[in-house]
C-alpha cells in the first residue's frame, strides 16, 4: 500500500498547479498521508511482535493529563562579493508552542489544545516582516454513546486569529490583516469518531461559523466576507475536522489537522479549507528538524490576483532545525469520594 500511496503523492506534486485550483484535492493528500502514516505504524508493530512489549504507561488510570511542546528555529545567511547574487544578509526566526489538557472520566471526555506560531524574517533587500503568525484554541467535549468506545456525541469550540498586522508585498505593501481581523469562531455539535488515541474525525451537520473583522479600515473595505462597514459575518453549515497525531517512524512524529466548512445558504460547493501539518525529526535530545506545511482556502478571502480581488489557495511551508523541548507531562487522578466514604 505504501508504494501505491507514494506514487500517488508524486503525481500530485507534479500537478501542484491543478491542486491550487481545486482545494478538494487537498483532502485526498491528507487522507493518503494518514494512510501512509498508518501503514508505517503497522509495519513497526509487526516488527515488534517477536519481542516482548512493555505495557504503555498511558493506559494507566488517569482523569487529567497535561503537557505540550516548544520549538525554536533560527537560520542565518550572509554574502560578500557573491557573483550569483542574493541578499547580503538574511535571518529567519520561527517558533511554535503547544499546550494541551485532556480530561476523561467514565463516559466523559474533554480535550483542550492551544497552539501559537510566530515567525520573523529580516533581509537587506526586503527589510523585516513576519512569515508566521497564528493563534489557535480548540476545545471539544464528548460523551461516549456506544459499547465499543469509539463514538462520541460531542460539542466543539474553536477560535483562530493572529497577533500582529499583516501585509501583502508587491510594488508597495498592502495592509491585509491584524489582530481579530480576521478572527474565526466555530461552535459546533455532532459526532466524533475516535478509534484510538491518534485519530479523531468529527462530523457536524449544524455548525455556526462567525468571522470577525474589527479593524475599521479592513471592515470599511468589506474584507473576509463581511459587508462593507460591518464587523461580523455569521454562517451556518456543515463542518468536518480530522486530527491525526502519531509517531510514524523511529524519531519521526506527525501532527496534522484538516478543517472543512460548507455554508448551506451561500455557494455550498465552495468548501473552506484550513489544514496544518507538522513533521518533527528528532536528531538529539533537544535538537530536532521540523517541517511545517499549512494550506488555507476561503472563497471569501479575495485579496489575491493582479487586482487583489480574487481567492486563492494559500500555502505556507517552513523548514527549520533548532531547539525542541517537550513540556513535562503531568497526570492527575481524581479520588472517588463515594468509594472512600463507603470504605470508612
Amino acid at each position: 500500500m505504501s508504494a501505491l500511496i507514494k506514487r500517488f503523492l508524486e503525481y500530485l506534486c507534479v500537478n501542484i498547479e491543478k491542486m491550487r485550483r481545486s482545494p478538494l484535492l487537498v483532502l485526498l493528500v491528507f487522507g493518503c498521508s494518514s494512510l501512509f502514516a498508518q501503514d508505517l505504524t503497522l509495519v513497526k508493530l509487526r516488527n515488534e511482535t517477536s519481542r516482548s512489549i512493555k505495557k504503555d504507561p498511558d493506559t494507566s488510570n488517569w482523569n487529567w493529563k497535561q503537557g505540550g511542546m516548544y520549538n525554536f528555529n533560527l537560520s542565518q545567511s550572509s554574502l560578500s562579493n557573491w557573483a550569483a547574487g542574493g541578499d547580503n544578509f538574511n535571518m529567519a526566526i520561527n517558533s511554535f508552542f503547544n499546550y494541551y489538557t485532556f480530561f476523561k472520566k467514565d463516559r466523559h471526555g474533554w480535550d483542550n489544545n492551544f497552539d501559537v506560531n510566530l515567525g520573523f524574517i529580516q533581509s537587506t533587500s526586503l527589510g523585516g516582516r513576519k512569515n508566521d503568525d497564528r493563534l489557535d484554541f480548540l476545545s471539544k467535549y464528548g460523551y461516549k454513546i456506544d459499547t465499543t468506545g469509539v463514538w462520541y456525541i460531542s460539542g466543539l469550540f474553536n477560535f483562530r486569529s493572529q497577533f500582529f498586522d499583516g501585509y501583502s508585498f508587491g510594488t508597495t505593501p498592502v495592509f491585509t490583516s491584524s489582530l481579530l481581523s480576521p478572527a474565526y469562531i466555530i461552535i459546533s455539535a455532532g459526532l466524533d469518531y475516535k478509534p484510538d488515541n491518534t485519530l479523531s474525525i468529527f462530523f457536524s451537520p449544524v455548525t455556526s461559523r462567525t468571522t470577525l473583522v474589527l479593524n475599521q479600515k479592513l471592515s470599511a473595505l468589506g474584507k473576509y466576507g463581511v459587508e462593507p462597514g460591518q464587523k461580523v459575518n455569521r454562517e451556518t453549515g456543515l463542518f468536518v475536522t480530522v486530527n491525526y497525531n502519531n509517531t510514524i517512524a523511529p524519531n519521526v512524529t506527525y501532527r496534522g489537522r484538516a478543517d472543512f466548512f460548507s455554508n448551506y445558504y451561500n455557494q455550498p460547493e465552495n468548501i473552506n479549507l484550513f489544514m496544518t501539518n507538522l513533521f518533527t525529526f528528532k536528531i538529539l535530545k533537544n535538537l530536532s528538524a521540523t517541517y511545517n506545511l499549512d494550506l488555507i482556502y476561503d472563497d471569501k478571502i479575495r485579496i489575491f490576483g493582479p487586482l487583489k480581488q480574487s481567492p486563492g489557495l494559500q500555502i505556507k511551508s517552513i523548514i527549520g532545525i533548532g531547539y525542541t523541548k517537550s513540556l513535562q507531562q503531568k497526570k492527575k487522578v481524581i479520588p472517588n469520594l463515594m468509594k472512600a466514604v463507603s470504605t470508612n
Side-chain angles (χ1 to χ4, degrees):
M1 180 183 291
S2 60
L4 178 61
I5 295 172
K6 286 180 180 178
R7 289 197 294 269
F8 180 70
L9 293 177
E10 290 173 356
Y11 171 79
L12 289 180
C13 291
V14 174
N15 294 271
I16 185 67
E17 291 300 325
K18 295 182 180 179
M19 187 181 72
R20 289 174 179 267
R21 295 189 290 269
S22 181
L24 289 177
L25 286 178
V26 179
L27 176 59
L28 296 177
V29 177
F30 184 82
C32 290
S33 299
S34 299
L35 289 174
F36 179 57
Q38 292 176 354
D39 190 39
L40 289 176
T41 303
L42 290 174
V43 172
K44 180 181 177 182
L45 290 175
R46 294 191 188 102
N47 293 335
E48 292 180 346
T49 55
S50 60
R51 56 188 176 90
S52 60
I53 302 176
K54 296 181 179 180
K55 184 179 180 181
D56 185 355
D58 194 49
T59 60
S60 60
N61 186 30
W62 56 268
N63 298 119
W64 282 101
K65 183 170 71 172
Q66 57 187 1
M69 184 183 73
Y70 175 75
N71 174 264
F72 179 84
N73 295 323
L74 174 65
S75 63
Q76 186 268 329
S77 65
S78 60
L79 302 175
S80 177
N81 298 327
W82 192 253
D87 282 314
N88 292 332
F89 178 83
N90 189 310
M91 182 179 70
I93 299 173
N94 291 91
S95 62
F96 167 73
F97 174 78
N98 165 258
Y99 187 78
Y100 63 82
T101 60
F102 299 151
F103 172 81
K104 69 172 185 179
K105 185 174 175 63
D106 300 328
R107 289 178 174 266
H108 303 273
W110 185 23
D111 299 348
N112 298 277
N113 198 79
F114 179 66
D115 290 334
V116 176
N117 293 65
L118 288 174
F120 180 82
I121 184 169
Q122 176 73 38
S123 63
T124 52
S125 61
L126 301 176
R129 63 185 65 183
K130 67 176 183 178
N131 65 351
D132 199 4
D133 186 4
R134 179 167 66 92
L135 168 67
D136 195 318
F137 173 71
L138 178 67
S139 181
K140 182 173 60 177
Y141 166 80
Y143 183 82
K144 193 182 302 182
I145 60 174
D146 71 324
T147 57
T148 61
V150 300
W151 288 99
Y152 294 76
I153 183 169
S154 301
L156 179 146
F157 171 84
N158 179 227
F159 172 84
R160 178 163 53 91
S161 187
Q162 63 188 53
F163 288 101
F164 306 106
D165 291 350
Y167 295 85
S168 176
F169 291 90
T171 306
T172 57
V174 178
F175 178 56
T176 58
S177 61
S178 185
L179 175 65
L180 300 179
S181 300
Y184 301 97
I185 300 174
I186 291 178
I187 300 176
S188 184
L191 291 176
D192 193 13
Y193 175 68
K194 300 174 67 175
D196 51 44
N197 293 328
T198 65
L199 177 66
S200 170
I201 303 175
F202 176 83
F203 171 84
S204 171
V206 181
T207 297
S208 170
R209 182 177 188 258
T210 302
T211 303
L212 303 177
V213 182
L214 301 187
N215 182 275
Q216 193 66 39
K217 182 178 179 180
L218 295 175
S219 172
L221 295 174
K223 297 295 185 179
Y224 300 100
V226 302
E227 295 294 330
Q230 301 296 315
K231 296 185 178 181
V232 179
N233 180 53
R234 293 184 176 88
E235 303 171 88
T236 302
L238 174 72
F239 177 71
V240 177
T241 179
V242 181
N243 289 266
Y244 186 76
N245 186 1
N246 197 12
T247 300
I248 60 176
N251 297 324
V252 181
T253 60
Y254 169 75
R255 184 169 178 261
R257 170 182 161 193
D259 295 350
F260 305 89
F261 178 80
S262 174
N263 186 350
Y264 286 141
Y265 303 104
N266 184 13
Q267 297 179 314
E269 71 278 6
N270 289 337
I271 298 176
N272 297 330
L273 164 71
F274 170 76
M275 182 178 180
T276 180
N277 304 271
L278 176 64
F279 293 87
T280 303
F281 307 85
K282 187 176 181 180
I283 302 173
L284 298 174
K285 181 179 179 181
N286 291 320
L287 179 65
S288 298
T290 59
Y291 175 62
N292 178 244
L293 175 65
D294 288 355
L295 305 172
I296 298 176
Y297 181 84
D298 190 334
D299 189 68
K300 297 180 180 62
I301 302 180
R302 297 176 174 267
I303 59 175
F304 308 105
L307 301 178
K308 305 298 182 182
Q309 295 180 352
S310 301
L313 179 63
Q314 306 169 54
I315 302 176
K316 182 190 69 179
S317 177
I318 299 176
I319 300 175
I321 298 178
Y323 179 82
T324 299
K325 174 67 175 178
S326 295
L327 303 181
Q328 183 179 4
Q329 190 178 87
K330 299 180 180 179
K331 299 178 182 179
K332 182 179 179 181
V333 177
I334 300 176
N336 192 326
L337 298 180
M338 296 301 295
K339 183 178 180 180
V341 172
S342 63
T343 54
N344 292 334

